[in-house]
Every structure is written in structure tokens, then in C-alpha cells.
Amino acid sequence: MLDPKLVRNEPESVASALAKKGFTLDVETIRSLEERRKSIQSKTEALQQERNQKSKGIGKAKAAGEDIEPLLKEVEHLKSELAAAEKELAEVQSEWDAMLDGVPNLPADDVPEGKSEEDNVELRRWGQVPGFDFPVKDHVDLGEALAQMDFELATKLAGSRFVVMQHQIAKLHRALIQFMLDIHIEEHGYREIYVPYLVNRDSMYGVGQLPKFEADLFKIQDEREFYLIPTAEAPVTNVLRDEIFQDANKLPLKFVCHSPCFRSEAGSYGKDTRGMIRQHQFEKVELVQFVRPEDSDAALESLTAHAETILQRLELPYRVVILCGGDLSFSSARTYDLEVWLPSQDKYREISSCSTFRDFQARRMKARFRNPETGKPELLHTLNGSGLAIGRTLVAIMENYQQEDGSIRVPEALRSYMGGLEVISKG
RNA sequence: GGAGGGGUGGCUGAGUGGUCGAAAGCGGCGGUCUUGAAAACCGUUGAACCGCGAGGUUCCUAGGGUUCGAAUCCCUACCCCUCCGCCA
């Protein structure tokens, strides 16, 4: 959520900043809502004040043993008047809240202009794109030929956009999780956290998934309102929801969390239907940080570097792009995507997305810290990034490390996690 | 699943329908004392909103209701605890 004061006081400048995201802010509606709010609020509060004072008077009179009948007459009219005013105020406020809920975060100043993915700007590249002197296969052909990856079986068990893995590929998949967790915990100073994979509505609202993006989520059919998490960001960021974090000197808080992720992928029919690129269920190691506002820009750079480390250790070529305004997500102020090289597609594909939300999520969640300088609560800044998406990393390894006979070399960095195995081959 | 008991500030915990945003303790902050610290003592200390300000409003899990007036009474939901049953 944006700062309501900012939206109220400077709707034009907010609108022009949001234009970069391709969002049109209805300045006129804001103005008229704000005018109504002001008059109704002061009217309501005046009535409340009158009621409070007179009621206290009644209490005192009663205690003094006086006749309170005349006093009761005086407040008679207040009841209905106040009820009407309160109702109207509540309506205006909920209209305002609903409007504000749908307004995306402001993009950072350095976010490039642009409408879509096409307009993202490449910042840097790392590694050498491999050359092959044989026809490359994609991970589907490789995995099926090894008899260790089965999409048809997954369809039988569940439906499309799932996979079944077995044997060494399944082990490699698991090894990637351990490998990434270990590096982030031991080298980058993150704290491991295990969280629920079903969360409530408040948590989804806090990170900005709701109310706008309900269709992207799997909802549990039950009288309780549970959603399957689309990313560990949802439960982990909500750790500080409705809290005032007291030990400012313990900031930043850095959490790493492995979790499955569930996405309905509604509206992406026909997109990446082959293989493991876009699934209903996948694993991810997620990095989440809570920082003081002045530290969040630097934190995004270091968080991105932490994710990059994984690709470098795995010796996978990648590039870093900064998302343009039009491609930036609802809650994000700035996002760097890491894109890994996929030989079968002859291009870079997203494998991690690192974002700063500044105070946008924190305001929705009321996630604050006590600033020791002022003694007052202030909104935290939140960040997160994939470090990395496991399924896509597995795909990248299979494709970049493939050999002519269809076997796959195990990256050096993973061998200790694979019992020393050097090559994955049929068996 | 059955029976009961609860949700109060950063934490613990008192609270009779009225002067209660709420005792007390802990913690935090400031001070006295001390070379410094600890202890002791004194003072101070909830959050959000409106307003230039004076000041006002809201908040005792959430949502309804009763009442001139609700932390307090009633209903519903959620959560927690105890006992029984079941269970990895």
C-alpha cells in the first residue's frame, strides 16, 4: 500500500510516477473521495465527542444521585444521527481502502521506461555460453531418455504442468536445495526458517497477492480460508506482520527458506507448456530481508549478488536485467531478474527475481521497527529474491552439462552432495 | 470428535456497565549515586488517525448486538490452554 497521505496530498505526482508502470490513477475520484471523507470525518468525530462528554455527565450525575432523565432527553437525538454519520464514514473509508488496495507500488527512479519484457535492460553478463558440436537436446528429451523424468506419469497422477522425477535426477534436484541452503546460511548469513505452506487471507494480503491476484493462487476448498503458497515470500515476509520489532540493532533480518510453490498459472495457457519451466508445483529457495529504510537499496544489490553466487558456483552462464516499469510486479519498486542460459531455447530464461518493496508490503502488514533515535515505530523495508528456483536450475544444469550420449555431467560444486557422482547416465 | 477455561499495552498480569487507554510488575529511556558498571532510588514510557495549534477521535483478538454510556453484558468467528478420544 502506498502512503495514503502522499496519495491524498500529491495525487498528480503519484499518478505520473505510476504511469511508468502503465497504471492510470484516477485523480478525480481521489479528490472527491477525499473531500467527502474530510467533512464526514469531522462531523462524525464531533458527534462522538458530544456523546462521550454527555455520557460522562450522566455517569457523574447518577453517582451524585441526581435525576438523569433530562440529560437522557438531551442525548436522544444523537443516537441515530451518529449511527448515520458513522455508517457514511465507514462507506467512504472502505471505498478509499478498496481503491488504494488496487494501486501498485511506485517504481524507483532508475527503473527504465517500457511496456513489456522486451524493454528490460541488461545490466551485465557472467560466464561463457557453451558451444556444442552435436545437436543439443532439451531437458525433456534428456530426462525421458534417461528414464528419470516422466511428464506423462505426472499427468496421470495429477494433470498437466507437473513432473515425476526418479533416481539420480531426483537426487540432483534434492541436492540443489541443500547446496543453496548451505551457501546462504553459511556464507551469506541467512537464518533458515521453516513455515506453513498453507496460509490465511491476511498473509496473502500482506504481500500484495490479494485482493488483486486471487486467480493466480490455489485456494483450499474448506470452511477455513487457506491458500497454497505461490512462494515462501508469503509466509516468511508475514513473520513481522502486525509487529513492532524492538531490537533495531538486530536488523537486517535475513531469512532463507526452502519451500514448494504452487501456482495456478491461470491465463498462461499455451505458454511454456513443455517441460519443467512453468509448473503448478515447484521448489524454491527464497531469500527474504527486513531492513531499515535507508539500507534497502544496498540490500537489494547484496541480495542479488547472493543469488548470483549460486549460478557462479554451478558455473551456469547468466545475465542480470533490470525490469522496466511495465514488467515490474504490483508490489515491487525495483526488480533485478537473473536469467540463465538455456541451450535448447538459445536464450536466457528467468531463474530468479530479486525485488525491493520498500515500505509497500510493510505498510500493508504494519511491519515496523522501533527507531532508537526517535523512539518511534517506523515502517521496515522488505525485500526478497529467489536463490534460486530449483526446477529451473535443474533444467539449466541438464541442458548446459549434457553430453553427446545423453548423459549429464554433475557440476563440481554439487558432487559432494551427490555422493561423489560425476555423471548422470541411464540406469 | 467430546467437555471445560481463556484472549487486555514490547512482555507478564489486574480490571465493580460510568471519572479506564486501562492498576501493578518486568523491559525500555532519562536521571541520582559511581572512576566505570551493577544494585538501589527518582522520573518517564502504548498505537493509529484528524488538526497549523489548542485539542479531538479510534483501538482491550475480529465482526455484530444491547445501552445515554461497553475492556466489562449478549451472539458469531478465529486463535490459545486443560482433560478425554483418535492419530504420523
Side-chain angles (χ1 to χ4, degrees), chain A residues 195-214:
Chain A
V195 293
Y197 301 152
L198 301 180
V199 299
N200 58 31
R201 194 174 178 87
D202 287 345
S203 295
M204 285 301 186
Y205 174 83
V207 289
Q209 283 286 338
L210 290 176
K212 240 191 155 173
F213 304 100
E214 180 135 24

Side-chain angles (χ1 to χ4, degrees), chain A residues 1-9 11 14-15 18 23-35 37 90-105 205 210-212 330 360 364:
Chain A
M1 195 166 77
L2 292 179
D3 185 353
K5 278 183 204 153
L6 182 70
V7 178
R8 247 186 245 143
N9 299 338
V14 171
L18 287 175
F23 183 87
T24 310
L25 188 70
D26 186 348
V27 176
E28 273 320 300
T29 302
I30 288 170
R31 281 235 174 73
S32 69
L33 260 179
E34 176 57 8
E35 250 171 65
R37 195 222 93 227
E91 279 164 8
V92 172
Q93 258 160 1
S94 77
E95 206 176 317
W96 170 266
D97 290 345
M99 191 275 302
L100 207 57
D101 274 352
V103 178
N105 197 4
Y205 174 83
L210 290 176
K212 240 191 155 173
F330 179 76
F360 188 83
R364 289 182 150 237

Side-chain angles (χ1 to χ4, degrees), chain A residues 247-403:
Chain A
D247 302 308
N249 59 345
K250 287 192 182 145
L251 294 172
L253 253 47
K254 296 158 71 180
F255 289 111
V256 60
C257 182
H258 156 248
S259 83
C261 304
F262 303 94
R263 300 195 180 172
S264 89
E265 296 297 346
S268 62
Y269 308 107
K271 220 178 187 181
D272 298 315
T273 47
R274 183 177 163 83
M276 278 183 76
I277 298 294
R278 194 176 298 276
Q279 303 256 282
H280 286 315
Q281 171 187 321
F282 62 96
E283 306 294 306
K284 185 154 57 67
V285 168
E286 182 78 357
L287 307 173
V288 172
Q289 293 197 23
F290 299 91
V291 306
R292 295 178 61 135
E294 62 269 28
D295 297 334
S296 68
D297 282 348
L300 179 61
E301 301 304 319
S302 72
L303 186 148
T304 305
H306 296 151
E308 284 180 67
T309 300
I310 303 294
L311 288 166
Q312 291 171 10
R313 297 289 172 83
L314 295 173
E315 298 176 77
L316 291 168
Y318 69 91
R319 63 172 194 160
V320 183
V321 302
I322 180 168
L323 299 196
C324 71
D327 203 26
L328 206 55
S329 75
F330 179 76
S331 301
S332 176
R334 183 192 292 112
T335 297
Y336 297 130
D337 272 5
L338 306 187
E339 298 181 342
V340 71
W341 179 254
L342 287 191
S344 70
Q345 300 190 6
D346 203 34
K347 65 179 177 193
Y348 291 97
R349 290 298 308 259
E350 178 186 340
I351 197 166
S352 169
S353 198
C354 304
S355 305
T356 174
F357 305 95
R358 296 193 167 158
D359 62 11
F360 188 83
Q361 291 181 329
R363 187 172 291 105
R364 289 182 150 237
M365 293 192 298
K366 300 188 186 69
R368 293 155 293 171
F369 72 104
R370 193 170 298 281
N371 187 332
E373 280 97 74
T374 61
K376 294 290 172 198
E378 278 177 37
L379 290 171
L380 286 156
H381 279 197
T382 61
L383 304 97
N384 70 53
S386 1
L388 308 159
I390 303 298
R392 290 189 183 180
T393 308
L394 181 77
V395 167
I397 288 172
M398 289 173 73
E399 296 196 2
N400 283 282
Y401 281 84
Q402 66 180 293
Q403 306 189 102

